[in-house]
């Protein structure tokens, strides 16, 4: 979780992008990622082009999510999947450790507005083989391993990518979509410091360096226009469209959670992710639960009592969550925390811009 000082409106505030989502691969004695251009560790250049978002501050501009083309050929997808060995996945550490001191370059929402728009939902979809149901767990919970089962154990996963030449990881979640291939995550888990991440894969059900449901390479990554233009923490929402694997679509294999947009504040929520900073190690699927609240400091985000750390960024927040089946409606993602407010996580409000992002992704 990124907890780096940032000033806003003349006040001292420490905001950390849970760049959790991002865990950048750097073992304790951190070293650079292998030369991805070298034949023995080839990580292809899969950055064909980027469609820039328009200036979101300009008046009367029809803003759309930015789409970044990633591994769009079968050869590129194979090379990306081959790059992420079990050792490289295990070596992922929180991205905020690589990005510390950079938060001052992020855009800050000086006047955080309360999002508006009609409420809408997308229902969950079950995988071909449903995981076993489980009993209820503690509620509220400030951070504990998810010992239950259900569909969340297959839709939730880790995201791996390369950021500024270093291997990194975040968390993500498969959602029900028209293309059956959409993953929701945090904006900073697809683009940060003005550059799109490369070698992007989603590993649902990750554990102990293993990919039980395969590694799903992104053919496109997306972010809200506000995040793309200025990395506004209020709109820290990203998505990826992954390619088919062995002739199957992602949600046909692992299922897909539902979504909820413009659903309001003060809701019972469950947050999930793979925190990797102390005291966590990135190997345990972790959850928090409780009644959310609206941030009353510097954003319009949801807040939740939760001790997840860096590496959990991009993990889903679900409302209407059924612990017995592990299904619910995703309405936010792990995003950031204030340095002066420990054990509390914040996630962006899924309003119209998040809905537009999801619609853009599912149409690809």
């Amino acid at each position: 979780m990124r907890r780096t000082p940032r000033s806003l409106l003349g006040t001292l505030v420490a905001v950390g992008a849970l760049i959790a989502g991002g865990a950048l691969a750097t073992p304790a004695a951190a070293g650079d990622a292998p030369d991805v251009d070298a034949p023995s560790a080839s990580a292809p250049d899969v950055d064909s082009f980027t469609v820039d978002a328009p200036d979101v501050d300009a008046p009367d501009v029809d803003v759309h999510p930015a789409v970044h083309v990633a591994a769009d050929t079968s050869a590129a997808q194979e090379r990306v999947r081959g790059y992420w060995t079990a050792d490289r996945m295990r070596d992922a550490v929180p991205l905020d450790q690589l990005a510390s001191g950079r938060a001052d370059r992020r855009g800050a929402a000086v006047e955080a507005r309360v999002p508006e728009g009609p409420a809408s939902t997308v229902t969950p979809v079950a995988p071909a083989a449903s995981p076993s149901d489980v009993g209820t767990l503690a509620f509220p919970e400030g951070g504990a391993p998810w010992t239950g089962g259900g569909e969340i154990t297959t839709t939730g996963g880790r995201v791996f990518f390369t950021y500024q030449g270093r291997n990194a990881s975040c968390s993500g979640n498969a959602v029900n979509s028209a293309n059956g291939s959409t993953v929701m995550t945090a904006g900073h888990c697809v683009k940060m410091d003005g550059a799109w991440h490369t070698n992007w894969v989603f590993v649902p059900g990750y554990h102990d360096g293993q990919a039980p449901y395969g590694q799903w390479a992104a053919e496109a990554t997306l972010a809200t226009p506000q995040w793309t233009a200025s990395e506004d923490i209020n709109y820290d929402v990203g998505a990826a469209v992954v390619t088919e694997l062995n002739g199957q679509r992602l949600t046909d294999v692992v299922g897909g959670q539902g979504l909820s947009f413009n659903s309001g504040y003060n809701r019972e929520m469950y947050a999930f992710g793979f925190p990797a900073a102390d005291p966590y190690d990135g190997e345990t699927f972790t959850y928090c639960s409780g009644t959310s609240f609206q941030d009353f400091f510097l954003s319009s985000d949801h807040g939740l009592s939760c001790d997840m750390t860096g590496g959990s960024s991009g993990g889903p927040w679900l409302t209407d969550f059924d612990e017995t089946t592990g299904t619910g409606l995703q309405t936010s993602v792990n995003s950031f925390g204030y340095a002066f407010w420990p054990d509390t996580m914040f996630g962006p409000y899924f309003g119209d811009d998040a809905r537009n992002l999801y619609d853009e992704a599912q149409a690809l």
Side-chain angles (χ1 to χ4, degrees):
M1 180 192 276
R2 192 177 49 183
R3 298 184 181 278
T4 333
R6 172 204 264 170
S7 63
L8 179 59
L9 294 177
T11 43
L12 277 171
V13 178
V15 176
L18 241 189
I19 284 184
L24 271 187
T26 300
D32 291 339
D35 182 356
V36 295
D37 295 322
S40 60
S42 60
D45 179 6
V46 293
D47 303 322
S48 307
F49 63 88
T50 298
V51 180
D52 291 330
D55 180 358
V56 297
D57 295 322
D60 303 321
V61 172
D62 181 20
V63 296
H64 299 284
V67 180
H68 171 70
V69 175
D72 59 347
T73 68
S74 58
Q77 294 151 17
E78 282 298 319
R79 290 196 297 268
V80 169
R81 285 191 289 264
Y83 179 74
W84 289 107
T85 63
D87 285 342
R88 284 181 179 149
M89 290 191 293
R90 288 192 192 98
D91 286 344
V93 298
L95 177 60
D96 55 320
Q97 293 183 5
L98 297 181
S100 65
R102 302 171 194 264
D104 56 328
R105 304 215 309 250
R106 304 232 187 296
V110 176
E111 294 182 3
R113 64 177 178 82
V114 176
E116 298 178 354
S120 61
T121 60
V122 176
T123 58
V125 60
S130 297
S132 60
D133 294 346
V134 296
T136 58
L137 300 178
F139 184 98
E141 172 57 61
W146 177 254
T147 57
E151 195 169 322
I152 189 63
T153 62
T154 60
T155 64
R158 292 189 79 179
V159 168
F160 296 93
F161 52 87
T162 300
Y163 159 77
Q164 296 189 352
R166 308 291 292 278
N167 293 335
S169 84
C170 276
S171 300
N173 183 52
V175 295
N176 187 10
S177 59
N179 58 19
S181 303
T182 298
V183 177
M184 298 300 292
T185 187
H188 65 264
C189 296
V190 296
K191 179 181 182 290
M192 194 172 73
D193 293 326
W196 294 88
H197 305 322
T198 59
N199 304 324
W200 205 101
V201 295
F202 176 58
V203 183
Y206 170 91
H207 66 87
D208 303 315
Q210 304 302 307
Y213 303 100
Q215 297 174 323
W216 300 75
E219 59 180 342
T221 51
L222 307 87
T224 60
Q226 296 89 345
W227 181 262
T228 303
S230 63
E231 299 189 357
D232 184 335
I233 202 67
N234 286 297
Y235 301 93
D236 185 17
V237 187
V241 177
V242 298
T243 62
E244 290 187 355
L245 187 61
N246 301 321
Q248 294 182 293
R249 303 185 308 171
L250 174 64
T251 57
D252 292 336
V253 176
V254 303
Q257 298 292 339
L259 299 103
S260 181
F261 302 96
N262 290 304
S263 57
Y265 293 94
N266 307 311
R267 304 288 304 276
E268 289 189 353
M269 298 269 200
Y270 287 72
F272 295 87
F274 286 87
D278 289 340
Y280 297 100
D281 62 4
E283 297 297 317
T284 302
F285 191 43
T286 302
Y287 86 105
C288 297
S289 63
T291 301
S292 66
F293 59 90
Q294 183 180 353
D295 182 13
F296 47 83
F297 282 108
L298 302 172
S299 79
S300 59
D301 285 17
H302 298 285
L304 186 68
S305 177
C306 184
D307 73 355
M308 282 197 280
T309 60
S312 62
S313 282
W317 290 35
L318 303 174
T319 188
D320 296 333
F321 184 71
D322 184 343
E323 287 192 354
T324 62
T325 62
T327 58
L329 304 178
Q330 181 167 355
T331 191
S332 187
V333 295
N334 299 324
S335 176
F336 77 94
Y338 293 107
F340 58 80
W341 194 348
D343 299 332
T344 304
M345 175 114 42
F346 293 87
Y349 186 93
F350 271 22
D352 291 345
D353 295 285
R355 175 80 209 207
N356 292 341
L357 175 70
Y358 164 74
D359 286 339
E360 182 80 14
Q362 72 168 341
L364 294 179

